[in-house]
Amino acid sequence: MKIGDVMVKDVVSVDHKTPVIEACKIMGEKKIGCVLVTKDGKPYGIFTERDLLSKVLLEGNLNEEIGKYCSAPLIVVTPDYDIVESARIMADMKIKRLVILNEETEEVEGIFTAADLARVIAEYGVKELESE
Amino acid sequence: MAEELKCGICGKELRAKDEGKTWRRCSICKKPTCFEHLHYIGVWRRGMYKNYVEVVPVCEKCMPKKRRKPVE
């Protein structure tokens, strides 16, 4: 099973000038751990719970623009990676989210997180994922 | 003649059909490498609109050494 088959396609994105507090409200309402940050309509970075804790709450201001605190550049993968390998990538790189980018259009196709990995394992089982 | 597939690090025999499941080619030296000896690094890609970091597989031999801070 490929990462492109199970990734979350409706990625929530905000402009880099959006205040952090507004992005936090969106994350709370939609029960998500990150939002994609765009600049001039193109993907620029990602703002995660970790950014909120380690950057904004420690040394920032919730009313400042999100572009100042988001993680950039984006770390991306192509959608043809296997689910099991995507887990290896997250473990090896010590990251919890993979942004899936279409290399031709440079558009973000989706996002695959450690929580999505847990969902897929719960749905299909580890053995089934390994045997595919 | 078909290429003999062996892990470039440990010499373990690999099957062509298992590429992406149990092994991949190192993106630097291009040698087949089993998952036990494969790591992932981010490399800069220059896009048309934006530069980004793409995850690529590398073998243990090609894995860049971490830069240490100079000791004063």
Side-chain angles (χ1 to χ4, degrees):
Chain A
M1 190 179 293
K2 302 290 178 194
I3 196 171
D5 302 328
V6 288
M7 66 186 179
V8 172
K9 288 177 183 167
D10 49 344
V11 184
V12 178
S13 61
V14 296
D15 186 76
H16 74 291
K17 287 189 174 168
T18 308
V20 172
I21 194 157
E22 208 171 297
C24 290
K25 278 180 193 167
I26 296 169
M27 287 161 71
E29 279 167 15
K30 295 190 179 287
K31 294 179 183 169
I32 51 174
C34 65
V35 285
L36 193 75
V37 179
T38 58
K39 205 172 194 174
D40 303 323
K42 295 288 170 192
Y44 168 74
I46 191 166
F47 182 78
T48 68
E49 293 156 322
R50 185 180 290 175
D51 295 320
L52 178 67
L53 292 172
S54 63
K55 297 175 189 171
V56 184
L57 294 185
L58 273 186
E59 56 203 41
N61 186 327
L62 285 167
N63 293 310
E64 284 185 286
E65 56 188 52
I66 200 167
K68 192 176 166 186
Y69 299 106
C70 69
S71 301
L74 282 174
I75 297 176
V76 304
V77 295
T78 50
D80 60 328
Y81 274 97
D82 194 81
I83 298 292
V84 180
E85 196 173 7
S86 72
R88 298 182 72 93
I89 293 171
M90 286 195 257
D92 198 59
M93 298 188 78
K94 297 186 177 73
I95 54 176
K96 289 186 281 187
R97 296 171 178 89
L98 293 171
V99 176
I100 294 103
L101 192 83
N102 183 316
E103 277 187 304
E104 286 176 15
T105 60
E106 289 182 30
E107 295 283 342
V108 171
E109 288 198 346
I111 194 164
F112 187 72
T113 68
D116 296 323
L117 179 67
R119 171 178 54 85
V120 173
I121 289 172
E123 206 169 315
Y124 297 95
V126 177
K127 281 185 181 173
E128 195 170 326
L129 291 178
E130 282 178 335
S131 63
E132 277 190 28
Chain B
M1 195 177 132
E3 181 194 5
E4 194 181 358
L5 284 172
K6 278 186 178 176
C7 172
I9 304 289
C10 65
K12 182 179 164 184
E13 286 195 16
L14 307 165
R15 290 184 300 180
K17 66 170 185 162
D18 289 339
E19 184 171 6
K21 287 180 183 169
T22 59
W23 66 275
R24 265 193 193 273
R25 284 186 191 277
C26 166
S27 61
I28 297 172
C29 68
K30 310 295 179 198
K31 285 181 184 167
T33 309
C34 70
F35 274 174
E36 280 74 34
H37 299 102
L38 196 72
H39 295 274
Y40 299 88
I41 58 167
V43 293
W44 279 96
R45 290 267 188 252
R46 194 170 294 227
M48 194 183 290
Y49 307 108
K50 185 77 196 160
N51 295 342
Y52 53 91
V53 172
E54 189 185 0
V55 175
V56 294
V58 288
C59 69
E60 279 178 4
K61 279 183 190 167
C62 298
M63 183 83 176
K65 301 271 185 299
K66 277 187 180 168
R67 285 183 197 166
R68 292 179 190 276
K69 287 179 183 170
V71 180
E72 288 178 17

